[in-house]
Amino acid sequence: MTISKATQLTLEGKVVNPPFEENVSNETVGVTNPDLMEKGVDSRRTSSSSSSSSDDSDSAIAANADDPWAIVELVDDSEKWADMTTKARIIRVLINFAKIITALGLLYFFICSLSLLSSAFRLIAGKTAGELFQQSELMQNPVVGLMIGILVTVLVQSSSTSTSIVVSMVAADIITVHMAIPIIMGANVGTSVTNTIVSFTQIANRNEFRRAFAGATVHDMFNWLAVIVLFTIEVVSYSIFGLGYLEWLSGEIVKGVNSSSGAGEVTLLNAIIDPFVDKIIQLDSQVLEGWAANDSRYDNASLIKQCGENITDPVPCDGEFLFENTGLEDWAVGLILLFMSLFMLCGCLVGLVKILNSMMKGHIANIIKRVINAKIPYVPWLTGYLAMIVGAVITFLVQSSSVFTSTLTPLVGIGVISIERVYPLTLGSNIGTTTTALIAALAAPPEKLQDTLQISLVHLFFNVTGILLYYPIPFMRFPIPMAKFLGNETAKYRWFAIIYLVGMFFLFPGIVLGLSVAGTIPLLCVGIPFLLLLIAIAIIKTLQRRKPSWLPKKMRNWKWLPLACRSLEPYDRQFAKCACCNKFRPTAEGNIPSSASSISGDSSENETKEAS
């Protein structure tokens, strides 16, 4: 018989609010030993006279076992140091040293694979990325600009690249600051696709994938929520006052700026990875900028460096590289490079996770986890802000939020870092990545410095305002429960992760872009009913949880809807008919309803089934 979390804790003599609305099984919530849990319940029934310290200890163990989001306690079953011989100690030290060196090497090649993945997408996208930016008439529509920002950043796999291009276009008078603001917002959303892809490397383990996918999508949820609010404010305030919020704020700050300035560049990460990456592929960034600027000289140019034979000044190559003068088209080289980079990325990440799992044991693991997840004494509320500073500084040094957040994703998956701690680190990373646009802005001509600085500050204030909305007040930290919702869904229906990735970063922006190009009327006819439906669902769902008495009896749950409208189970059965999709489905004993399997959350129905 399946025992729900609420039932179990009630039997233990504690009345709590269960974290999930449905009754969930031991398998779903990550219990590795159901018999131990049953034994704990029975012992509570027969031993009511236990000491309070024993009760607290047992409850803590049960809570950790019953919570898939808890920091994982890995047991050190190796021989104790005091019991080891001198030879065994030397061997252990050498093995641990070798593990550290191997982990650093895998981390290095993992970061290199991200750079190669970015280059592959740029080659596959070809002139498309530049042509999207050329449509200045279309970008008069802010919705088009937002979707173009998402799609271009997904294609080039770098918000730093897309924002730098936008800054260059503003400096060249191709687009205005007002037109560039939605593109900057879209770039913030598009950059989070990388760590979402990285989370797929842990799909084989249910709970690791649950945590990794949630750790990756907490970035997505923050960016989407920030865009929904700030994009709406920008459009409404512009239509009323003739000036958007971000445009006004950044404009006030850069007033009077008109002097020239030299631009430096922080290349700490590039200095480390370029020696390896440049042996495989070298791209000519001038060509991408030329496409964006609609420069006819670059119409038939290749993104791959043509050493000494470029259409403008000869571009010096840093030695020979693998794809130099192959005679292949850019898209063909991009596809080859895509497979190479994905193979390298997956291999490095799998190896890194295994090494980290083997090292994260015993005393050392407890120290590392305590340091990462610790709170500042007496002022614990400052801990998150300190984490933001750390994330911003590291991202500033490596000049890539994707690298930083993608490195955090496997650590969340194996349970070293909690979702609650990775959230402020990610927010700090969003701040750190804005320095790239600021550096690019300083390279503009003196007469355009004010505009370029303004658009780079828009990028900064977008993230700062989003943080002020969704972090200081704990109740407003919506990205965390939303990411956990997605993590629970993908733990049960792993194919849902692929649907989410394709839908959120490709299909949805593409459909909205297509409707926007078709005209305002088609966009409004489709968009307004969809938004009203989402708002109605959110309101009803909130009332069902908090004030069910305010609703008609029939509306207090979603049972009146067809099953296909409130659960993924019917779609899962269809996927089960496809042999190639079975690998993404849980085993028969693990096919238990998750917290997100139904939008109804009707506990009474589950209790009826449980009683039967």
Side-chain angles (χ1 to χ4, degrees):
M1 172 178 136
T2 301
I3 297 181
S4 69
K5 181 174 180 180
T7 305
Q8 181 184 342
L9 293 179
T10 302
L11 290 173
E12 291 176 358
K14 298 179 184 291
V15 179
V16 297
N17 293 322
F20 307 133
E21 293 182 354
E22 287 88 4
N23 292 328
V24 291
S25 75
N26 295 333
E27 166 83 10
T28 302
V29 295
V31 178
T32 56
N33 192 344
D35 294 332
L36 181 61
M37 302 298 296
E38 291 288 314
K39 182 179 178 181
V41 174
D42 293 338
S43 65
R44 286 291 193 274
R45 292 171 176 168
T46 57
S47 302
S48 58
S49 60
S50 301
S51 66
S52 60
S53 61
S54 176
D55 287 345
D56 293 340
S57 175
D58 291 344
S59 298
I61 294 173
N64 283 335
D66 201 36
D67 184 6
W69 306 105
I71 299 299
V72 175
E73 293 294 335
L74 298 173
V75 180
D76 186 8
D77 55 359
S78 59
E79 186 179 2
K80 293 183 178 180
W81 181 265
D83 300 334
M84 297 173 64
T85 63
T86 302
K87 180 180 179 181
R89 290 178 180 179
I90 294 174
I91 292 175
R92 174 176 285 188
V93 169
L94 292 176
I95 290 175
N96 288 334
F97 181 75
K99 286 181 178 180
I100 294 173
I101 297 299
T102 304
L104 291 175
L106 289 172
L107 181 61
Y108 171 78
F109 288 111
F110 166 69
I111 295 173
C112 290
S113 69
L114 291 175
S115 179
L116 293 174
L117 185 66
S118 174
S119 298
F121 276 107
R122 294 183 197 183
L123 289 169
I124 294 171
K127 198 176 178 181
T128 304
E131 288 176 342
L132 286 174
F133 279 128
Q134 291 174 19
Q135 308 299 323
S136 57
E137 294 181 2
L138 287 178
M139 285 192 290
Q140 295 284 352
N141 184 338
V143 177
V144 172
L146 178 66
M147 296 303 120
I148 285 178
I150 296 173
L151 291 172
V152 169
T153 307
V154 169
L155 289 175
V156 302
Q157 283 286 285
S158 172
S159 62
S160 300
T161 299
S162 53
T163 52
S164 297
I165 291 175
V166 170
V167 169
S168 300
M169 293 174 66
V170 171
D173 281 330
I174 297 173
I175 59 175
T176 64
V177 171
H178 173 71
M179 293 164 58
I181 290 175
I183 304 176
I184 294 293
M185 293 185 182
N188 249 57
V189 173
T191 191
S192 55
V193 69
T194 305
N195 46 320
T196 307
I197 294 173
V198 167
S199 68
F200 278 76
T201 58
Q202 291 172 278
I203 197 170
N205 184 294
R206 182 192 306 279
N207 270 337
E208 284 189 9
F209 186 48
R210 183 203 311 270
R211 291 188 292 262
F213 195 79
T217 53
V218 75
H219 194 192
D220 306 354
M221 295 301 101
F222 169 78
N223 287 329
W224 276 110
L225 288 174
V227 163
I228 289 171
V229 173
L230 292 177
F231 181 77
T232 303
I233 292 175
E234 197 73 15
V235 171
V236 172
S237 59
Y238 182 80
S239 62
I240 296 175
F241 304 107
L243 201 64
Y245 158 70
L246 292 174
E247 186 177 358
W248 166 79
L249 181 60
S250 58
E252 288 294 316
I253 292 177
V254 300
K255 275 184 177 178
V257 176
N258 56 10
S259 60
S260 60
S261 175
E265 185 177 4
V266 179
T267 57
L268 175 63
L269 186 64
N270 290 340
I272 297 174
I273 67 175
D274 279 353
F276 176 79
V277 173
D278 286 347
K279 293 295 182 182
I280 299 176
I281 190 69
Q282 295 182 31
L283 301 185
D284 185 358
S285 59
Q286 293 181 357
V287 173
L288 189 60
E289 293 176 3
W291 286 343
N294 201 17
D295 191 333
S296 59
R297 296 178 301 167
Y298 293 89
D299 285 345
N300 298 315
S302 171
L303 268 178
I304 301 173
K305 280 188 177 180
Q306 309 295 317
C307 304
E309 300 177 2
N310 224 40
I311 54 177
T312 55
D313 296 331
V315 178
C317 290
D318 300 328
E320 296 182 354
F321 56 96
L322 181 62
F323 290 103
E324 180 183 3
N325 300 324
T326 59
L328 297 173
E329 297 288 339
D330 282 8
W331 63 268
V333 174
L335 286 176
I336 296 172
L337 195 61
L338 176 65
F339 287 113
M340 286 178 56
S341 59
L342 287 176
F343 179 79
M344 184 188 300
L345 184 148
C346 294
C348 291
L349 202 54
V350 169
L352 190 61
V353 168
K354 288 186 178 296
I355 290 177
L356 288 174
N357 270 322
S358 67
M359 295 176 65
M360 294 289 114
K361 291 182 179 179
H363 185 62
I364 296 177
N366 290 330
I367 291 176
I368 294 174
K369 284 184 284 190
R370 272 200 299 267
V371 170
I372 293 177
N373 298 285
K375 295 183 178 179
I376 299 176
Y378 307 110
V379 282
W381 58 272
L382 281 178
T383 308
Y385 298 98
L386 178 62
M388 286 186 204
I389 295 173
V390 171
V393 170
I394 295 177
T395 305
F396 170 75
L397 293 176
V398 302
Q399 285 290 287
S400 174
S401 61
S402 296
V403 169
F404 179 64
T405 55
S406 297
T407 305
L408 292 176
T409 298
L411 297 178
V412 178
I414 64 176
V416 175
I417 304 178
S418 66
I419 303 293
E420 289 73 16
R421 182 51 43 85
V422 83
Y423 180 52
L425 286 169
T426 298
L427 299 184
S429 178
N430 274 8
I431 297 293
T433 195
T434 62
T435 57
T436 303
L438 287 169
I439 291 171
L442 295 176
E447 65 275 7
K448 297 301 299 180
L449 185 60
Q450 184 175 3
D451 288 342
T452 57
L453 276 177
Q454 182 177 358
I455 194 60
S456 62
L457 288 175
V458 164
H459 193 195
L460 173 63
F461 292 138
F462 170 82
N463 286 293
V464 170
T465 307
I467 291 172
L468 292 176
L469 285 173
Y470 297 115
Y471 190 79
I473 304 175
F475 171 76
M476 294 295 291
R477 295 172 188 174
F478 300 130
I480 295 176
M482 292 172 71
K484 288 184 176 182
F485 176 95
L486 292 172
N488 286 325
E489 274 300 275
T490 54
K492 183 184 179 185
Y493 308 111
R494 302 186 199 187
W495 51 265
F496 176 75
I498 300 174
I499 301 296
Y500 169 85
L501 179 67
V502 175
M504 291 296 285
F505 293 104
F506 295 96
L507 288 181
F508 176 72
I511 292 172
V512 174
L513 179 60
L515 291 171
S516 301
V517 172
T520 305
I521 294 178
L523 178 63
L524 294 177
C525 290
V526 175
I528 291 178
F530 180 73
L531 289 175
L532 291 176
L533 177 63
L534 290 180
I535 293 171
I537 292 174
I539 294 174
I540 294 172
K541 185 64 177 175
T542 302
L543 292 176
Q544 285 176 344
R545 289 181 175 180
R546 300 182 180 275
K547 297 289 183 180
S549 59
W550 291 10
L551 293 171
K553 187 173 182 180
K554 185 176 181 180
M555 298 290 291
R556 294 175 186 176
N557 56 59
W558 299 97
K559 290 190 293 183
W560 54 275
L561 285 173
L563 184 61
C565 295
R566 54 188 170 90
S567 173
L568 292 177
E569 188 63 35
Y571 307 102
D572 189 59
R573 289 196 294 267
Q574 295 301 316
F575 272 96
K577 299 177 182 178
C578 178
C580 63
C581 295
N582 281 331
K583 65 180 68 177
F584 297 109
R585 302 183 73 251
T587 56
E589 61 272 15
N591 196 14
I592 308 295
S594 69
S595 66
S597 61
S598 172
I599 63 174
S600 64
D602 183 22
S603 60
S604 61
E605 182 181 1
N606 291 329
E607 290 171 358
T608 302
K609 292 180 180 178
E610 215 172 342
S612 62

